[in-house]
Structures are given as structure tokens and as C-alpha cells.
Amino acid sequence: MDHYDSQQTNDYMQPEEDWDRDLLLDPAWEKQQRKTFTAWCNSHLRKAGTQIENIEEDFRDGLKLMLLLEVISGERLAKPERGKMRVHKISNVNKALDFIASKGVKLVSIGAEEIVDGNVKMTLGMIWTIILRFAIQDISVEAKEGLLLWCQRKTAPYKNVNIQNFHISWKDGLGFCALIHRHRPELIDYGKLRKDDPLTNLNTAFDVAEKYLDIPKMLDAEDIVGTARPDEKAIMTYVSSFYHAFSGAQKAETAANRICKVLAVNQENEQLMEDYEKLASDLLEWIRRTIPWLENRVPENTMHAMQQKLEDFRDYRRLHKPPKVQEKCQLEINFNTLQTKLRLSNRPAFMPSEGRMVSDINNAWGCLEQVEKGYEEWLLNEIRRLERLDHLAEKFRQKASIHEAWTDGKEAMLRQKDYETATLSEIKALLKKHEAFESDLAAHQDRVEQIAAIAQELNELDYYDSPSVNARCQKICDQWDNLGALTQKRREALERTEKLLETIDQLYLEYAKRAAPFNNWMEGAMEDLQDTFIVHTIEEIQGLTTAHEQFKATLPDADKERLAILGIHNEVSKIVQTYHVNMAGTNPYTTITPQEINGKWDHVRQLVPRRDQALTEEHARQQHNERLRKQFGAQANVIGPWIQTKMEEIGRISIEMHGTLEDQLSHLRQYEKSIVNYKPKIDQLEGDHQLIQEALIFDNKHTNYTMEHIRVGWEQLLTTIARTINEVENQILTRDAKGISQEQMNEFRASFNHFDRKKTGMMDTDDFRACLISMGYNMGEAEFARIMSIVDPNRLGVVTFQAFIDFMSRETADTDTADQVMASFKILAGDKNYITMDELRRELPPDQAEYCIARMAPYTGPDSVPGALDYMSFSTALYGESDL
């Protein structure tokens, strides 16, 4: 890009505006710029009565250049030089360039000499700088983007126009046509344009712009269509002319919009006023027509007519009035909305015509509702009045029918003599039933009075069928008096019979009250006497025996109660025989007969001695069980502590350091022999335990030891002595194999016992660490973890004495290593890396040689021979450093 292009782009365009240097030298672009820039300059110079023909020649003397700047800026430049010499021309051009620079434009590599010499590129660059500053930058500080945004906004409604740049977006000509049509739609029939005819579109836009918009034709349609990428500067220059041509129209459009907006608000307000006036008039007229209809209170003679009036009123409330309620509400809403809009638009408040204010409508509406409320009350009263006569007549017939149905059969019922053969309970039931009838009769008294009152009211209202009503009412009253007399007579007969049977009933009741608990007592006694019992101690059987003796002591009093109950029954029999009372059935209060009482009493007497015998036999069995308990407890209380003592003695032997390991082993074997000799006493205790189980004895207060405790203790004792002997034997093997002296063994035992703080024969992790530190080991966590993996391979968190000795012997004794064994094999192999089967059989005993041959892997090194064996991996495997 040339210097003037780069500088002007930085001053007035966005950074993405990037023309390649090669494109600026394109003849087609230069031709477009010449034509466009020339036409643009002439559009301004003609205002001063002149023009240019050749853009690089006509500005060489600087005179027309200064004139162009004066026209487009509206300012006066310095007086030009009129001489024809080169120095005069350079002076004039410099004055023009200085003026451009005074407007904040930096001119880089554009000098007066190039302009005076007619340099085309420099001249075009200078004119482009002037166009940017005075024609495009006024649109927006960001000149290109401002002009592009204006084009996009104006062409947005045109779907086939998409302005994204100032080159190829304009090739089809529709962009130019859209700008013209947007501002002057009468100049172009946009609907007839076709996107596939760019020449027609471009020429149409250029011709219309020149003819009607006074925009000179700055571009050739053929050049634009024939160029892959039209010159951006030429397009921007031409488009800026449209912007300036339409800027005045934009202001006029804004002013027109403001006026339209004001008029629209005014028209809307006037329409709201008209709507309010009409709605108010219609609503008031409806109220005026409705009130007289509601004020008409002329009654109808028939029930059907009055009900029709009520139905008309309901239609009014359901169908006619609700829409008017909505209209009234909408009227108030419209009024408030109108006043708010008038206040917000600075208009005076709306004043409805006289009599149509909201308050006037509310007053009229209140009158309507008041009349409406009275009308409804009048309708209901009239309907009630007409209903009254029909209702009274129907009510009389209903009540009379109900009463007559109730009295039907009542006289026959009251004349019955069913009480003569009834029992006392039946008499009482008949009395209760009679009392209920009397209550019912009293309750019907009110209905009879109501029937008479209704008949009286119908007479007073001159009911047409009053004679039949009166006859029926008189019949009801006569029958009512007769029922009252029969009711009193039946009550007296029932009360006499009741007194006769009450004495017998009291005796029956007393018999039942005493017979029931006595019968329950006998049944409970029989159940207890036959109840099986399970006891485990002498105390329990003694308690049962004591309770049985107490029961036998109550038998005389029980026999007296039995005789008293039988005496009550005998008294009832005497009363029945004396007064010849008709007794229907047995005692109503109980089903227990005297025969049942005597039978159960005899059974109780038979069960008592049987119970005595069973208790005596159980007492003897419990005494035998107690002897078994004492016998087992005496032996268990000796054997249990003996086992515990032996366990403690073995523990002390295992941790004490008296004598050599052989002495400790001899001592332990003597203990083992004495323990085994104790086995017959365990067997004897097992025999006693079997007798206890066979006797079903489940507890023993004479000892805390069970046979299971003794068995577990005995098994632990045998296991402990065997394990302890084995530990000492292993210690002897370790000592001999590792060459450890007795003094070292004593030292190891002393250290272990010291740090075995819980005296369990094992050290926990912290105790073992302290022990190692006390013996001079200085180790980190990793080294201690390695040692723990050796002494506690199962990760139980404890170290036994045997594991401790193995570790210490490994640390202190002179032991063989894998390297030493490997070196020995290498000697046998004649310093080779492998060994043969013949060499093994020659140098080692037969069984050991075959052992090695069976376990050595074949040698696979480069120096291998058939039958070669790998003694190196075998040696490392012997010490756990690899798999054997």
C-alpha cells in the first residue's frame, strides 16, 4: 500500500480496511478512481462556476485545488500566487496541503512537487484524503463504519440487499436502487428490478441520482460489473453523495414523525372522549328505561303469573344486568385511562358533558340497585302470600294423614292383656315400652294441636274446602281423647303385675351374684389343682407346697358359701309354690344351677389329695438335684483355679531367664507331664456334668464355672504348654544354627521382657520401635517398615519373641548369603556362568545334587551349552530374592 493510502487509512478508517498495494495499481481501479474523484470534484467546483477535465493536470498549478477546498470547507484560504512559474505552483499547492493538515489530517509522502509534476497516484491519494475528511468523516468519527452502518440501516427492509462492504456488495446495483427507493419511492419501481440484471440496476440508479438528486454520475456500470472487486474508494465517494443528498430529507422525516406522533395522541384522546360520551349515554338510557319496570308493583292474582314475574327478574339479573355492570366498570377504566393520558401528554383534563360525569352514572346506578332490591323483596312477599293458602291446605292434609297412620292399631294394642303371662323382665320391658308409647303420645300432642291450629287459620282465610277440613279435625280430636284413657288403664295393670314378680326377681339376682363368683372360684381351684408345674430348686417347690396348704385352709369357708347359695334357691321354690306364680323359664341372671355347684364342689374335694402327692414327689426330686449341684460345684471350684494357676506359671516360665534354654525346656516338659496326669479329674467332672444334664439342671449357684469354661480352659492349657515348649525348642534351634551364645539369648529375652509392657508375650509396634532404638538402631520410617515386614509378615501389629529372636539372630550372626552360595557354585562350575548335571553329581552328595538338578532352571546365556543349568537364579531363590 502507498504511503498516502496507509496514513489515511490509519487516520480515518478502521484497521481492517486493507487494500493490497497491487490492487491500487490495477488499471481498472485507477480508471474508476479517476472518473469518480473527477465527478466528485466537479460536483463542488461547479458551485464556483468551474470544473476540471484531467484530474492530475488541472490541479498542478494549485489554483483549482485551493478553490475546491474553499467550496467544500466554506472557509477562505490564503491568497494564491498568480505566477506561472514552478515556484508559484508549488507555493499554491503547499497552501492547499497546509490547509488540509490544519484540519487534523496527516499527509505522509504527499508533497507539492509530486502534485505539480502531475503524479497520478499522489494526486488521487490527495483527493481521497480530501473526500474522507470533508465528505465521509462528517457522518461518523469512524468514517467507513459510520457510512456502512447508515447504508445497512436504510437497506434493511430490502431482503435481496445485503450491504457488508464497499465493493462487491454494490455490484448488482440493488444497493444504490434501495437507497433511492427508501427516501424517494416514487423515483424507482423497485419491484421490477432483478438481481441477475446488474447493468440495468446500476444505470437506473446512476441516471435517477443525476436527474432527480443532483448527484453526478461518478461511476460506470460496465466498469463495476466487469471488475471482480470494484474500487472501494470510488464506491464510498459515490455513496457519501447519497448520504449528503438525503440528510435533509432525514431531518424532514424526523419532524414529520414528531408531528404525526403528537396528532396520533390527540386523535386517540378524542376517540376515547367520544367513546366515553357514547357509552355513558347508552348506560344512562338503559337505567332510565329499567327503573320504571322495577317500580311497577301491581300484584298478580295467580301463582303462575307471579312466578313468571320472578323469572323475568331473574333473567334481568343473569342476562341483562351483568353486561351493564361490565360497561359501567369499563366506563370508569376508560375515564381514568383518558385522564392519565391527557396528564402525561400535557393536555387539559377531560370534562364530560353535563349529566354524564362518573359521579352522575354512579348515582343513577345506586338508584337502580335500590329499586331493584325493593322489587325483589316485593316479588318474594307476593309469592309467599299466594303460597301460604296452598301450603296450609297441603300441610293440613299431610299432618292429618301422618297422625291417622300413627294412631292406626293403637287402640287394639292398648287393650291387650299380654302382661298376665309375662315374666318380671317381660313386665319391665312392657312398662318401658309403655313409657315410650306415652312419650310418643305426648309428642303427638303437639301435632294434634298444630292440626287444629291449621284448620282454624284456613277457616279464618275462608278456604274453599273448610267443611271437610273441620270434619276431619273433629274426628282426630275425639280419637285422641280415647287413646289417653286406654293408656292410663294399661299402665295401672302393668304396675300391679310388676310388684308381684319383683320379690322373686330379687332372689334370683342375689343367687346369681353369689353363684357366679363361687363358680369362678371352683373353676379356678380345679385349674390350679390340675395345673402342671416346672421347678428347678427346692425353694420353688416349697413355695408351691405352702400355697397349696393355704388353699386347703379356705375350704371350710367355701363350703359355708355353697350352702348359703343353695338356700336362696330353695326360698324361690317356696314362694312360687305358695303364690302360684306363673314362672316362665329359669333364672334370667345366670345359667348356673345348684346341681352344677354340687358337682364341681365334689370334684375339688377329689383333686386336693392328688395335688398333695404330686408336690411330695417333686420335693424329693429337687433334693436329689441339689446334691448333684453341690457335687459338681465342689469339683469345678478346685479344677478351675488349678487351670488358671498353671496357665500363669507357664507364662512366667516362658518369659523368665532362669538357667539355660535346655533347663527351661526340661522344666516345661515336667509341667506338661503333671498337667496330663490331671486328666482323670477332668473326666470325673465330665461324668458329674452328664448327670446334671440328664436331670435337666440348668443353673448352679454353688459355682461360677460351667463345664464349657473348664473344657476351654483345659484345651487352652494344653495348647499353651505345647506352644511354649515349641517356642523354646525353636529358640534352641535358632541359637545353635546362628551360633548365638546363652548370654546373647539372655540379653534378647531381657530386652523383649522389658519392652513387653503389657506382659502378653508380644510387643506392639511402638514397643518394638523403642526396643530397636534402645539396642542402637537408628532408622527412618522406610527402614522400620522393612523390618516390620520381616518380623510381622501377616501385619497383625505385634512381634512375638520367636520373630524377635529370628530378626536379632539374622542381624548379629555370621550367616550365609546368596552371593556366598553363588560364589561356591561358581567354584564347582570351574568359574563358568552355568553348571552341568555331571558337575553337580560329581561334587555334591547324591540327594543334594538331585535336589539342585530338579530345581535349577536351564541356563539361557550366550555361552550356554546343552544341559547347562542356571545356578545364579537358584542361589537368589534360596534366600527369597527370586522365585525358586
Side-chain angles (χ1 to χ4, degrees):
M1 187 181 288
D2 290 329
H3 290 295
Y4 85 88
D5 295 318
S6 175
Q7 184 61 42
Q8 297 311 314
T9 299
N10 291 335
D11 288 341
Y12 299 112
M13 314 298 278
Q14 289 294 328
E16 64 266 16
E17 179 64 31
D18 185 15
W19 295 291
D20 292 332
R21 187 186 303 256
D22 294 334
L23 292 177
L24 288 174
L25 300 178
D26 187 336
W29 280 35
E30 184 175 325
K31 178 182 178 183
Q32 292 177 17
Q33 287 188 19
R34 280 174 176 272
K35 181 177 179 64
T36 303
F37 291 179
T38 300
W40 183 84
C41 292
N42 285 334
S43 70
H44 292 286
L45 287 174
R46 69 186 179 185
K47 299 176 184 177
T50 185
Q51 62 180 11
I52 62 172
E53 297 294 337
N54 189 311
I55 194 167
E56 71 270 20
E57 292 292 336
D58 294 349
F59 285 137
R60 292 179 64 184
D61 60 2
L63 294 175
K64 287 188 178 181
L65 179 60
M66 294 178 69
L67 181 61
L68 174 64
L69 291 172
E70 287 182 346
V71 171
I72 62 178
S73 68
E75 301 180 20
R76 295 290 295 176
L77 273 69
K79 186 176 180 181
E81 300 288 344
R82 295 296 179 180
K84 300 295 184 179
M85 298 176 65
R86 177 179 174 82
V87 66
H88 298 137
K89 296 179 181 180
I90 291 174
S91 175
N92 289 336
V93 173
N94 275 328
K95 289 177 182 179
L97 295 178
D98 291 342
F99 178 77
I100 294 172
S102 70
K103 298 303 180 181
V105 179
K106 294 180 181 180
L107 298 171
V108 181
S109 298
I110 299 179
E113 290 81 1
E114 287 83 355
I115 305 301
V116 173
D117 292 341
N119 188 310
V120 178
K121 287 175 58 179
M122 293 300 174
T123 302
L124 291 175
M126 179 188 66
I127 297 302
W128 173 241
T129 301
I130 294 171
I131 292 171
L132 279 174
R133 174 60 182 84
F134 295 101
I136 298 177
Q137 189 181 3
D138 291 343
I139 300 172
S140 171
V141 175
E142 301 294 341
K144 180 183 175 183
E145 280 67 21
L147 184 60
L148 183 63
L149 182 62
W150 179 80
C151 294
Q152 291 172 341
R153 187 169 63 250
K154 293 300 181 180
T155 60
Y158 300 87
K159 295 182 179 179
N160 55 356
V161 177
N162 184 17
I163 304 300
Q164 298 297 329
N165 49 55
F166 285 109
H167 37 83
I168 60 175
S169 294
W170 303 86
K171 286 191 65 175
D172 59 9
L174 292 177
F176 296 111
C177 294
L179 286 177
I180 296 171
H181 185 266
R182 177 69 185 273
H183 295 89
R184 298 286 299 277
E186 76 280 2
L187 298 180
I188 291 180
D189 188 356
Y190 191 85
K192 293 184 178 181
L193 300 177
R194 295 186 296 111
K195 192 175 183 67
D196 58 355
D197 190 6
L199 282 175
T200 300
N201 299 338
L202 289 167
N203 285 323
T204 299
F206 297 162
D207 294 342
V208 171
E210 186 176 33
K211 183 175 180 181
Y212 295 103
L213 303 178
D214 198 25
I215 297 175
K217 187 181 294 185
M218 300 181 186
L219 302 170
D220 282 333
E222 293 77 5
D223 293 342
I224 294 175
V225 174
T227 305
R229 190 173 185 268
D231 181 62
E232 195 164 21
K233 299 174 186 177
I235 299 294
M236 286 179 65
T237 302
Y238 189 53
V239 172
S240 68
S241 299
F242 282 90
Y243 172 81
H244 289 291
F246 292 135
S247 61
Q250 181 71 23
K251 294 178 182 177
E253 181 183 349
T254 302
N257 288 339
R258 181 178 294 107
I259 293 172
C260 291
K261 182 178 180 181
V262 171
L263 293 177
V265 170
N266 214 54
Q267 289 171 336
E268 182 182 1
N269 292 340
E270 288 179 356
Q271 185 62 45
L272 288 174
M273 294 176 189
E274 292 177 4
D275 292 345
Y276 175 84
E277 290 286 344
K278 184 177 184 308
L279 193 58
S281 298
D282 293 345
L283 186 59
L284 289 170
E285 175 60 23
W286 179 80
I287 294 173
R288 185 190 63 79
R289 292 196 313 270
T290 304
I291 288 178
W293 173 68
L294 294 172
E295 288 177 337
N296 181 14
R297 306 296 169 86
V298 178
E300 300 292 340
N301 294 327
T302 64
M303 185 70 175
H304 175 74
M306 288 306 298
Q307 286 178 336
Q308 185 59 49
K309 276 184 174 287
L310 181 60
E311 188 62 30
D312 293 343
F313 178 73
R314 287 173 179 164
D315 289 342
Y316 156 78
R317 289 294 287 118
R318 290 194 305 265
L319 305 176
H320 304 306
K321 186 180 179 184
K324 299 303 178 183
V325 173
Q326 293 296 325
E327 289 178 12
K328 178 177 177 294
C329 178
Q330 190 61 46
L331 188 71
E332 294 174 355
I333 292 172
N334 292 351
F335 182 80
N336 293 332
T337 302
L338 175 60
Q339 298 293 33
T340 300
K341 289 185 175 181
L342 290 173
R343 182 173 65 256
L344 294 176
S345 59
N346 294 322
R347 267 55 166 198
F350 169 60
M351 183 62 66
S353 57
E354 185 176 358
R356 295 176 183 171
M357 293 289 291
V358 173
S359 58
D360 296 330
I361 294 171
N362 286 334
N363 292 335
W365 190 266
C367 294
L368 173 69
E369 290 190 332
Q370 186 62 35
V371 173
E372 175 187 301
K373 181 179 180 182
Y375 185 74
E376 185 176 15
E377 292 176 356
W378 173 77
L379 281 175
L380 294 175
N381 288 334
E382 282 299 311
I383 290 173
R384 291 190 193 99
R385 185 183 67 82
L386 291 174
E387 282 181 334
R388 183 63 178 167
L389 281 174
D390 292 342
H391 175 68
L392 285 174
E394 181 61 25
K395 189 174 181 180
F396 176 83
R397 287 190 291 271
Q398 289 180 354
K399 286 186 175 294
S401 298
I402 292 171
H403 179 78
E404 289 167 350
W406 180 81
T407 58
D408 184 34
K410 293 296 188 293
E411 292 184 5
M413 182 270 293
L414 292 172
R415 289 189 173 94
Q416 287 180 350
K417 294 186 178 181
D418 48 354
Y419 50 83
E420 292 181 350
T421 58
T423 63
L424 178 60
S425 58
E426 292 172 341
I427 288 294
K428 289 185 177 296
L430 290 174
L431 272 170
K432 295 293 183 183
K433 183 178 179 181
H434 190 72
E435 289 174 359
F437 173 76
E438 288 177 331
S439 298
D440 195 13
L441 187 68
H444 278 74
Q445 175 69 34
D446 185 54
R447 178 178 286 119
V448 174
E449 294 175 354
Q450 290 176 5
I451 292 172
I454 293 170
Q456 179 64 30
E457 188 172 358
L458 287 172
N459 285 322
E460 292 174 355
L461 293 175
D462 294 329
Y463 182 59
Y464 74 96
D465 199 20
S466 292
S468 63
V469 170
N470 293 334
R472 192 173 184 182
C473 181
Q474 185 60 45
K475 181 180 179 182
I476 289 172
C477 291
D478 293 342
Q479 186 185 34
W480 183 255
D481 293 337
N482 188 38
L483 285 176
L486 291 174
T487 298
Q488 181 61 30
K489 183 177 180 181
R490 181 171 175 82
R491 165 167 282 281
E492 293 173 355
L494 289 172
E495 289 176 349
R496 283 195 303 269
T497 306
E498 180 189 23
K499 290 179 181 179
L500 181 63
L501 297 176
E502 270 187 343
T503 301
I504 295 175
D505 185 72
Q506 288 295 326
L507 291 173
Y508 273 153
L509 182 59
E510 184 178 358
Y511 174 88
K513 286 181 178 180
R514 297 178 69 172
F518 186 72
N519 183 66
N520 289 337
W521 177 85
M522 287 192 297
E523 289 179 349
M526 287 187 292
E527 183 178 353
D528 292 341
L529 290 169
Q530 297 177 93
D531 185 26
T532 60
F533 49 81
I534 298 176
V535 295
H536 300 289
T537 64
I538 292 179
E539 290 78 4
E540 291 177 353
I541 192 62
Q542 288 175 345
L544 291 175
T545 302
T546 301
H548 183 61
E549 293 299 326
Q550 292 174 352
F551 169 75
K552 290 194 293 184
T554 63
L555 290 177
D557 291 336
D559 190 38
K560 292 179 181 179
E561 177 66 13
R562 179 182 66 86
L563 295 175
I565 293 170
L566 295 177
I568 295 172
H569 183 268
N570 293 334
E571 188 175 351
V572 170
S573 299
K574 290 179 182 179
I575 294 173
V576 170
Q577 293 174 1
T578 301
Y579 295 100
H580 306 287
V581 177
N582 182 15
M583 296 300 296
T586 57
N587 191 330
Y589 300 110
T590 182
T591 59
I592 301 171
T593 64
Q595 291 78 14
E596 289 181 33
I597 292 175
N598 288 330
K600 289 180 180 179
W601 175 256
D602 292 340
H603 192 201
V604 168
R605 301 282 295 180
Q606 294 171 3
L607 291 174
V608 169
R610 298 178 190 173
R611 185 72 168 182
D612 290 336
Q613 183 179 356
L615 290 173
T616 300
E617 292 173 354
E618 181 62 26
H619 188 271
R621 191 174 72 86
Q622 288 301 323
Q623 286 179 331
H624 176 261
N625 289 349
E626 184 65 13
R627 286 192 296 272
L628 291 177
R629 288 190 186 95
K630 290 179 179 180
Q631 182 177 334
F632 178 86
Q635 295 184 69
N637 289 336
V638 172
I639 294 174
W642 182 85
I643 292 174
Q644 184 63 31
T645 301
K646 293 302 177 184
M647 289 285 289
E648 294 171 356
E649 290 175 354
I650 293 170
R652 286 196 298 273
I653 292 172
S654 65
I655 63 175
E656 290 176 353
M657 298 179 293
H658 299 309
T660 65
L661 291 176
E662 285 77 3
D663 295 340
Q664 294 179 22
L665 182 61
S666 176
H667 194 186
L668 287 171
R669 283 177 174 163
Q670 291 175 4
Y671 258 82
E672 183 181 28
K673 183 176 180 181
S674 66
I675 290 171
V676 171
N677 292 335
Y678 202 77
K679 183 66 166 57
K681 293 185 179 181
I682 302 297
D683 295 338
Q684 182 180 354
L685 189 64
E686 284 282 5
D688 293 341
H689 178 67
Q690 181 176 355
L691 294 175
I692 286 177
Q693 286 186 324
E694 291 172 353
L696 300 178
I697 299 172
F698 302 107
D699 56 356
N700 192 342
K701 66 181 179 179
H702 301 293
T703 182
N704 291 325
Y705 294 98
T706 65
M707 193 64 225
E708 185 61 25
H709 291 154
I710 299 298
R711 289 171 185 154
V712 171
W714 176 253
E715 291 167 357
Q716 289 179 346
L717 180 61
L718 294 177
T719 302
T720 301
I721 188 62
R723 184 171 59 246
T724 305
I725 290 172
N726 178 254
E727 289 177 355
V728 174
E729 290 173 343
N730 288 337
Q731 292 172 23
I732 293 172
L733 289 174
T734 303
R735 180 197 65 189
D736 296 342
K738 304 298 183 178
I740 301 174
S741 65
Q742 184 62 42
E743 289 76 12
Q744 287 178 310
M745 288 297 292
N746 292 340
E747 182 182 351
F748 293 160
R749 169 57 73 181
S751 298
F752 186 88
N753 289 346
H754 176 75
F755 287 97
D756 179 14
R757 306 181 195 280
K758 299 178 182 177
K759 304 306 176 185
T760 60
M762 294 179 288
M763 289 188 289
D764 59 22
T765 305
D766 294 336
D767 291 340
F768 181 58
R769 185 195 299 271
C771 179
L772 292 178
I773 293 173
S774 71
M775 299 177 71
Y777 283 84
N778 185 12
M779 62 208 159
E781 287 296 329
E783 177 63 15
F784 181 70
R786 183 189 69 80
I787 294 174
M788 282 301 297
S789 68
I790 295 172
V791 299
D792 183 20
N794 295 325
R795 298 183 180 181
L796 300 177
V798 295
V799 179
T800 64
F801 182 64
Q802 183 61 44
F804 178 72
I805 291 177
D806 290 342
F807 171 74
M808 294 307 299
S809 63
R810 188 182 299 112
E811 295 291 317
T812 58
D814 182 16
T815 58
D816 294 329
T817 65
D819 292 338
Q820 292 173 340
V821 174
M822 202 181 304
S824 299
F825 273 117
K826 193 166 189 178
I827 293 171
L828 298 181
D831 206 31
K832 299 192 298 295
N833 291 327
Y834 59 87
I835 193 169
T836 65
M837 289 185 284
D838 293 339
E839 289 171 336
L840 288 170
R841 292 186 176 116
R842 183 178 64 246
E843 301 293 340
L844 296 177
D847 57 339
Q848 294 181 345
E850 296 304 323
Y851 177 85
C852 293
I853 292 171
R855 287 165 175 75
M856 280 187 184
Y859 178 71
T860 59
D863 53 346
S864 176
V865 298
L869 299 175
D870 187 355
Y871 64 80
M872 294 183 183
S873 62
F874 176 77
S875 299
T876 57
L878 286 175
Y879 290 88
E881 300 177 11
S882 66
D883 294 333
L884 188 61

